[in-house]
Amino acid sequence: MRSPHPAAAGRRPPDARWVGRLAIYLFLTLLALGFLYPIVLMVLDAFKTTPEIFRHPFGLPSHVGLETFREVWRRAHFGLYLRNSLLVTGGSLLVLLATAAPAAYALARYRFPVRGLIFLFFLAGIMVPIRLGILPLYLLMKHLSLLDTPFALIFTYAASGMPMSVFLLSTFFRTLPSDLEDAARIDGCGEYRIFWSIMLPLVRPAVATVTIVNVVPWWNDFFFPLLFLQSNTWKTVPLGMQIFFGQHLTNWSLVFAGMLMASLPLLAIYLLMSRQFISGLTSGALKG
Amino acid sequence: MSGARGWFRRNGHLVVFLLPGLVLYGLFMAYPLLTSLSYSLSDWHGLVRGAFSGLANFVKVLGQWPYNARFWGALSHNALFFALTLAIQSSLGLFLAALLSRKWRGFAFFQAVYFLPYTMSMVVVGFLWLLLLNPTWGPVAHGLRLVGLDAWVQPWLGQRSTALITVILVNAWHWLGFPVLVFMAAIQGIPREFYEAGLVDGANEWQGFRHITFPLLLPSLAMMSILTFIWDFNAFELVFVMQGASGAPNYATDLLATFFYRTAFGDPTTGGEPGQIGLASAIGVLMLIIIGAASAFGVRFSQRTQTEY
């Protein structure tokens, strides 16, 4: 054991330590099976026919083809839902960054009379789930004729992401040295240029954190689509899939294939860039 | 006028920077949250607000059958949901975080695996376990029969005694990787010199954890507990997907959020009593009070135990 961090190494005889190590690996492996096996089953069963799933629940698929996935794509309007989810998540991120970044910048880098009050106003929402305001929000969307449009989701998501994002971004903006601004100002740079060309590029890590912290729950959200979207035109993947699963609950093959398709985008991103994913999520949670 | 114009010329950029965020956040978050309080104090006829009715909605939710039975039932289910989740994450979760922080060979893989379910949508998690736990065709029942444990096969989600616990465990499967990550990040933030000093003093592994790691982790544990509390008292999707809006069987898995949803938007599963906005808002405000009180308590605890190093 080269690195005794964090707990100091025990001083037992070597073979006892070896047995302890084996026990730890065994425990972790069994636990990993519990976490992984349901997902593995989902993937395997997506390739089986429903009778095959019932007869050989733990077997491998007898042949690997994409027919079931094509069927889900066609019958569940999967392409449409995917487009809507991308649009809603991307739109929310754009609106959030366009509003939170300048606000955080102003709160972090300028001194003006009501600064503390505005900061407190934003921060007050950090622990309050927006779901608890759903009724006034619903009626507001109705009055603004935004129900059944992606904008109801985009504005709700972006607004609910504000407190945490303003907090994270302003913490980051505050750490930047003020010489940068001063030099730019002496060179005749305007306030907007300083923000956009000098300061914003420097907080890119914080922007990445804000993106990951928000995009994962938005992409998976089911609650607001359920309430805001009635017609099929704008349904997102989780809502569309919930309805599809409910309608085809006896066709397990179809349901497993749909689950795999619905999970694949985030699973792929997570597997490809798990380090950024993890550090983004934890720094968001710890600073909250 | 020229004074105002002069002020704007000097400070206009502040307005441009701040206004969009203030409008967005004010209109779509602060306004709805604050208005729900006034909604709960009014009489409602469908979507039309009637006269000020004082605490009548609260009295009804807390004291009149069947609303009171649903409310106290749902509250106790949320409490159990939180208590069990907290117990799992502060024992197994903390243990895993302490273990995985040693970064032995392969530990990065285990960490990645435990976190995998967290990336999945609650809709998928709910339906996945609905099929896996199916007592006739599901692989869990099949596996138990294979090893001769036929008696253990039960309609886990269909009977009162096991439905809620099962939903809570499914939620823990989805959730656990997240607190493990957060605890690991906190453990890795503890300076190594602390342990080296402990080693000099002759501390063993358990003592190192008990007297060095654990006290320094308290703020993170408290923060994570608040987050868990907030999420568990808002839990909705899993029960809605697996057990329906009424928390089947017979309200055994009903939560505050599903009760709120039925009251506000009508119950689709029973053909739909019409939505009652006043009552639903009262439920929402009660949830807000519960969550607010718990967060305030947790934040104070977290600050009291904070150590700077």
Side-chain angles (χ1 to χ4, degrees), chain B residues 179-256:
Chain B
V180 169
L181 270 190
V182 172
F183 295 154
M184 276 182 72
I187 290 174
Q188 278 153 18
I190 299 174
R192 294 184 60 149
E193 297 84 65
F194 289 14
Y195 297 105
E196 279 152 21
L199 209 59
V200 171
D201 292 343
N204 63 26
E205 273 180 68
W206 165 247
Q207 285 166 334
F209 177 81
R210 168 73 188 77
H211 296 290
I212 300 170
T213 314
F214 188 72
L216 293 172
L217 269 182
L218 272 180
S220 310
L221 277 169
M223 281 312 294
M224 201 61 233
S225 305
I226 306 172
L227 284 184
T228 308
F229 187 92
I230 295 174
W231 274 313
D232 288 354
F233 272 78
N234 272 294
F236 172 81
E237 281 94 340
L238 211 52
V239 166
F240 184 86
V241 164
M242 297 176 84
Q243 310 297 92
S246 310
N250 194 22
Y251 302 107
T253 56
D254 198 18
L255 298 175
L256 287 170

Side-chain angles (χ1 to χ4, degrees), chain B residues 23-56:
Chain B
V23 169
L24 178 81
Y25 174 70
L27 187 61
F28 295 105
M29 183 142 176
Y31 163 80
L33 283 169
L34 293 173
T35 335
S36 59
L37 183 63
S38 85
Y39 274 30
S40 69
L41 300 173
S42 307
D43 207 12
W44 284 80
H45 310 283
L47 292 181
V48 181
R49 197 206 298 227
F52 176 78
S53 66
L55 296 174

Side-chain angles (χ1 to χ4, degrees), chain A residues 62-167:
Chain A
S62 58
H63 100 129
V64 175
L66 296 176
E67 302 84 17
T68 326
F69 298 97
R70 276 200 209 98
E71 206 180 333
V72 173
W73 185 277
R74 202 164 30 80
R75 280 172 52 183
H77 314 282
F78 195 85
L80 177 71
Y81 300 150
L82 196 63
R83 186 206 71 179
N84 292 343
S85 275
L86 284 171
L87 201 79
V88 166
T89 308
S92 307
L93 188 63
L94 219 61
V95 173
L96 174 68
L97 290 178
T99 53
Y105 176 70
L107 290 170
R109 306 298 299 193
Y110 296 95
R111 314 212 134 267
F112 52 95
V114 286
R115 192 179 66 115
L117 212 64
I118 295 180
F119 193 62
L120 212 65
F121 175 59
F122 278 124
L123 227 59
I126 213 160
M127 289 284 182
V128 189
I130 193 164
R131 291 177 174 200
L132 296 178
I134 180 65
L135 280 170
L137 193 60
Y138 181 85
L139 292 183
L140 178 69
M141 295 299 179
K142 201 177 158 76
H143 292 314
L144 295 174
S145 307
L146 293 178
L147 281 187
D148 225 0
T149 74
F151 294 105
L153 294 177
I154 289 175
F155 290 144
T156 303
Y157 290 156
S160 69
M162 283 297 278
M164 170 73 81
S165 310
V166 167
F167 178 72

Side-chain angles (χ1 to χ4, degrees), chain A residues 25-250:
Chain A
Y25 273 104
L26 199 67
F27 166 74
L28 290 175
T29 307
L30 282 176
L31 203 62
L33 271 177
F35 279 90
L36 202 55
Y37 195 57
I39 299 174
V40 170
L41 268 182
M42 175 180 88
V43 176
L44 290 180
D45 285 356
F47 289 96
K48 296 182 195 167
T49 62
T50 305
E52 210 181 337
I53 295 172
F54 290 165
R55 242 177 300 134
H56 310 291
F58 305 115
L60 294 174
S62 58
H63 100 129
V64 175
L66 296 176
E67 302 84 17
T68 326
F69 298 97
R70 276 200 209 98
E71 206 180 333
V72 173
W73 185 277
R74 202 164 30 80
R75 280 172 52 183
H77 314 282
F78 195 85
L80 177 71
Y81 300 150
L82 196 63
R83 186 206 71 179
N84 292 343
S85 275
L86 284 171
L87 201 79
V88 166
T89 308
S92 307
L93 188 63
L94 219 61
V95 173
L96 174 68
L97 290 178
T99 53
Y105 176 70
L107 290 170
R109 306 298 299 193
Y110 296 95
R111 314 212 134 267
F112 52 95
V114 286
R115 192 179 66 115
L117 212 64
I118 295 180
F119 193 62
L120 212 65
F121 175 59
F122 278 124
L123 227 59
I126 213 160
M127 289 284 182
V128 189
I130 193 164
R131 291 177 174 200
L132 296 178
I134 180 65
L135 280 170
L137 193 60
Y138 181 85
L139 292 183
L140 178 69
M141 295 299 179
K142 201 177 158 76
H143 292 314
L144 295 174
S145 307
L146 293 178
L147 281 187
D148 225 0
T149 74
F151 294 105
L153 294 177
I154 289 175
F155 290 144
T156 303
Y157 290 156
S160 69
M162 283 297 278
M164 170 73 81
S165 310
V166 167
F167 178 72
L168 280 175
L169 288 167
S170 65
T171 310
F172 239 81
F173 273 126
R174 222 169 284 143
T175 61
L176 302 179
S178 54
D179 310 5
L180 284 169
E181 276 167 281
D182 298 340
R185 251 181 223 120
I186 289 164
D187 289 347
C189 217
E191 302 298 326
Y192 303 113
R193 270 284 305 279
I194 295 178
F195 165 67
W196 181 256
S197 314
I198 299 174
M199 304 306 256
L200 195 57
L202 291 175
V203 295
R204 241 177 284 160
V207 170
T209 300
V210 165
T211 302
I212 287 172
V213 168
N214 287 295
V215 160
V216 175
W218 290 344
W219 180 270
N220 283 333
D221 184 46
F222 168 69
F223 184 76
F224 287 106
L226 175 71
L227 296 176
F228 287 162
L229 306 174
Q230 275 96 40
S231 65
N232 214 29
T233 331
W234 291 110
K235 280 188 178 134
T236 55
V237 172
L239 180 61
M241 285 294 106
Q242 190 257 342
I243 295 165
F244 179 76
F245 295 157
Q247 284 166 349
H248 299 86
L249 207 48
T250 48

